[in-house]
Amino acid sequence: MNFDEIKNKAMDLAQEHHEQVDKGVDAAADFVAGKFGHEEQVDSVAEKIKDILPGG
């Protein structure tokens, strides 16, 4: 399996399970904001991540 096949499989899975992926991104953002602060910036990055992932 080459990199493109792995990437395509990951993108397919992200699209198929986008609700769970979004929840995971939100949970990670909450953890980072709680640990280091800067909640506004962390939330902004989390939204950008969700925007570039398929299915969002």
Side-chain angles (χ1 to χ4, degrees), residues 38-55:
H38 307 282
E39 185 174 340
E40 190 173 309
Q41 291 90 345
V42 172
D43 287 344
S44 175
V45 170
E47 289 304 314
K48 288 178 183 178
I49 290 170
K50 291 191 286 185
D51 287 344
I52 64 170
L53 291 173

Side-chain angles (χ1 to χ4, degrees), residues 21-44:
V21 172
D22 285 353
K23 287 179 185 178
V25 170
D26 289 337
D30 290 345
F31 173 79
V32 170
K35 188 90 168 162
F36 301 105
H38 307 282
E39 185 174 340
E40 190 173 309
Q41 291 90 345
V42 172
D43 287 344
S44 175

